[in-house]
Amino acid sequence: MLHKSLKPFPKDFLWGASTSAYQVEGAALEHGKGPSVQDVKEPPAGTSGFEVAADQYHRFKEDVALMAEMGFRTYRFSISWARLLPDGTGRVNEEGVQYYSDLIDECLKYDIQPLVTMYHFDLPAALDAQGGWGNRATVDAFLEFSRLMFERYGDRVKYWLTINEQNMMTLAAEAILGIDTSAPGATKLIYEQNHHMLLAQAKAMKLCHEMLPEAKIGPAPNIALVYPETDKPEDILAAQNFNALRNWLYLDMAVYGIYNNIVWSWLEGQDALPQNILDGDMEIMAAAKPDFIAFNYYSTATVAASDGTEKAGHTGDQQRQLVIPGFAKGVPNPHFQKTEFGWEIDPVGFRNTLREVYSRYHLPIIITENGLGAYDKLEQDEAGNDVVHDPYRIDYLRAHIEQMHLAISDGVRMMGYCPWSAVDLISTHEGFVKRYGFIFVNREEFDLLDLRRVRKDSFHWYKKVIASNGENLD
Ligand code: BGP
């Protein structure tokens, strides 16, 4: 659809950027923090661990000042569960509570709204040792953690996100949930863990509304519209299947409190229906209502029909091309350019996805991740000043903001945009040298150098975008 003129971004649009605790903070086992599952697992081959990361724990004032210089109206960060509750439940680490309290105050000093992710891939190792999300007690522990955050920060934090990318944790269950996906009965086990997370989310949304009537809370999955490879009806069915499994399962539950019928039938067909849905669970799901939908978007996915004869499997990264025999088969899409790390780039797909999500759920949307990972290079200009030229990142972000602007003109209600990431940080499985930030952090994979902060070209560009409320993308 063409527009003669575009509707403006809302006046109070939340421009900002995102990080997550274990990827940015460092101080992984300092100041009373307990280990999370990220701290106890082997780092991916060729990458460093999370001990130092971008050292934001020790440098948050400098980082927040730089965000303020860019004009941020929000900063999305996550709270490390094991920093507040080192054993996942019980004993509170007051030093950890203080750290986030100071970070929140620092943001508010510059009128930057904290947008807090309650759980971003870093379950306390102590809970994992007791069965993690397979154990229903983890739902109660999450509620205890939620209550603590609402009590200590609810006077200052207006925006909350429940669980980051629950759908990616479930689809890549071996990576973050630590499940052996080739073992018999694995699918059932995975979707039982998934049920517990959905329940934890529903209970946290309800508690938030009871304790903090003014606050707003929503889910934060990774949503990518799924395209059919061709116009063959069988490919369209496969796209519907994978859309349901990858996207709608999570949003149908968060918004309507119902299990998506396509996913339910698929689970039923392989004897993998979760057996842990207790009396009352579905009522809790139905009663919990999000105030908005947050989602992360990097690219779309494309699938073809599977006749059931292929071998189940996937490629390794977030853009994994899953093969689910008899259901859908991921395929590359020839229309897209790719990032240095092989991720497809589909800005129009961003508009498609926004339109689809809004038409299905009619809730305002905030984008909590979007961005491009690259090997940026620190250089010196003629005057000897540090510079980082990242035109590829500017191109990526510009194209996506343009499409978001079109989506607004299509009638999609947008609340904000937080690309990944505010500062360089550790990638989920490709180390520190895969950089996403507006702010360069001077370290290498294994050599920590001086960790100094440098404004990239994208920093100066994003500052102009925010100052013009999305009108000036030059
Ligand atoms: C999302 C995660 C982030 C982040 C991002 C980029 O899945 O929520 O934590 O890491 O993807 O992915 P990667 O680090 O693998 O490049």
Side-chain angles (χ1 to χ4, degrees):
M1 175 160 71
L2 293 175
H3 293 287
K4 285 203 191 101
S5 63
L6 295 184
K7 290 187 190 142
F9 283 86
K11 271 202 186 61
D12 50 359
F13 192 73
L14 293 169
W15 296 99
S18 300
T19 62
S20 93
Y22 80 94
Q23 294 174 280
V24 77
E25 284 176 4
L29 296 175
E30 283 178 31
H31 299 268
K33 178 178 169 295
S36 81
V37 289
Q38 299 292 346
D39 302 313
V40 297
K41 73 175 188 201
E42 270 297 298
T47 70
S48 54
F50 298 103
E51 294 85 353
V52 178
D55 200 32
Q56 186 166 85
Y57 187 85
H58 298 111
R59 296 165 193 252
F60 70 92
K61 291 196 174 169
E62 184 184 353
D63 285 351
V64 174
L66 285 164
M67 294 177 209
E69 189 183 319
M70 269 186 279
F72 278 23
R73 298 175 190 165
T74 189
Y75 172 36
R76 176 200 179 210
F77 58 89
S78 79
I79 290 188
S80 155
W81 188 340
R83 196 180 291 289
L84 257 49
L85 295 162
D87 309 311
T89 170
R91 186 171 55 92
V92 175
N93 172 32
E94 289 298 337
E95 240 186 302
V97 173
Q98 192 59 45
Y99 168 69
Y100 294 108
S101 183
D102 293 345
L103 175 60
I104 290 164
D105 286 344
E106 199 63 21
C107 289
L108 292 173
K109 183 170 124 188
Y110 299 103
D111 227 359
I112 296 174
Q113 289 300 322
L115 171 61
V116 171
T117 315
M118 298 162 67
Y119 164 48
H120 192 127
F121 297 167
D122 56 354
L123 189 72
L127 295 181
D128 192 52
Q130 293 159 35
W133 285 108
N135 182 350
R136 204 173 170 94
T138 300
V139 177
D140 300 327
F142 184 68
L143 220 62
E144 181 185 332
F145 170 49
S146 305
R147 182 181 296 281
L148 179 65
M149 289 186 284
F150 297 153
E151 273 168 7
R152 303 297 186 98
Y153 309 130
D155 56 337
R156 288 160 289 161
V157 175
K158 278 203 237 151
Y159 300 101
W160 300 88
L161 306 167
T162 53
I163 300 179
N164 179 70
E165 294 196 355
Q166 183 183 330
N167 57 337
M168 290 296 122
M169 285 195 273
T170 299
L171 288 169
E174 68 287 357
I176 295 169
L177 299 177
I179 297 178
D180 174 4
T181 49
S182 60
T187 308
K188 183 151 157 294
L189 218 68
I190 292 168
Y191 284 86
E192 289 191 344
Q193 299 212 7
N194 193 57
H195 179 73
H196 282 153
M197 281 191 264
L198 291 170
L199 188 63
Q201 162 170 280
K203 289 187 169 194
M205 292 198 296
K206 191 163 161 283
L207 185 68
C208 178
H209 288 136
E210 282 163 13
M211 290 178 66
L212 309 170
E214 302 292 311
K216 296 195 185 303
I217 188 162
N222 176 311
I223 300 296
L225 196 63
V226 180
Y227 298 148
E229 185 184 33
T230 72
D231 56 7
K232 271 203 316 231
E234 290 77 6
D235 286 346
I236 312 269
L237 271 176
Q240 288 180 340
N241 287 342
F242 198 50
N243 262 312
L245 185 69
R246 192 199 186 289
N247 300 317
W248 313 142
L249 167 63
Y250 301 89
L251 293 176
D252 286 357
M253 188 56 86
V255 179
Y256 304 129
I258 53 172
Y259 265 103
N260 178 281
N261 59 293
I262 294 175
V263 178
W264 191 259
S265 314
W266 173 71
L267 289 171
E268 205 170 16
Q270 45 187 326
D271 205 14
L273 282 182
Q275 297 300 309
N276 56 343
I277 305 179
L278 302 189
D279 281 354
D281 283 6
M282 295 314 295
E283 285 72 16
I284 294 171
M285 307 277 210
K289 298 280 175 221
D291 301 290
F292 56 81
I293 289 174
F295 72 85
N296 303 344
Y297 174 88
Y298 289 89
S299 189
T300 45
T302 306
V303 299
S306 154
D307 61 11
T309 57
E310 302 90 346
K311 202 169 154 312
H314 55 75
T315 54
D317 60 19
Q318 189 211 94
Q319 291 211 313
R320 51 189 35 230
Q321 280 153 5
L322 277 172
V323 178
I324 307 175
F327 189 77
K329 177 174 73 181
V331 292
N333 190 319
H335 301 296
F336 305 141
Q337 291 186 340
K338 291 187 175 176
T339 71
E340 269 184 293
F341 287 82
W343 290 26
E344 291 174 346
I345 302 177
D346 181 14
V348 177
F350 187 33
R351 180 182 180 191
N352 296 339
T353 304
L354 287 166
R355 288 160 62 118
E356 190 69 19
V357 169
Y358 190 68
S359 306
R360 287 180 68 98
Y361 304 105
H362 301 283
L363 284 171
I365 297 173
I366 180 161
I367 293 304
T368 37
E369 289 182 32
N370 174 232
L372 172 139
Y375 295 106
D376 298 335
K377 212 163 126 228
L378 178 63
E379 294 172 309
Q380 269 71 44
D381 66 12
E382 280 160 17
N385 299 314
D386 286 338
V387 286
V388 177
H389 300 305
D390 57 347
Y392 36 82
R393 179 166 298 108
I394 295 175
D395 288 347
Y396 177 100
L397 295 172
R398 180 191 293 118
H400 285 79
I401 294 173
E402 271 166 8
Q403 293 299 323
M404 178 166 60
H405 203 168
L406 287 163
I408 289 174
S409 306
D410 297 333
V412 175
R413 269 164 71 205
M414 292 295 308
M415 271 172 67
Y417 178 67
C418 293
W420 186 262
S421 52
V423 305
D424 286 345
L425 40 65
I426 303 195
S427 142
T428 47
H429 58 278
E430 288 171 295
F432 203 90
V433 291
K434 184 184 191 185
R435 297 169 184 271
Y436 283 88
F438 293 108
I439 300 164
F440 183 89
V441 175
N442 190 37
R443 64 163 278 190
E444 291 168 1
E445 193 60 54
F446 294 98
D447 190 340
L448 293 175
L449 303 176
D450 59 9
L451 291 156
R452 75 177 181 281
R453 278 37 181 165
V454 175
R455 296 164 184 81
K456 298 184 192 178
D457 286 356
S458 56
F459 177 108
H460 302 292
W461 172 81
Y462 196 41
K463 182 177 172 174
K464 283 192 286 180
V465 172
I466 298 176
S468 67
N469 202 28
E471 296 298 327
N472 178 3
L473 304 183
D474 297 342

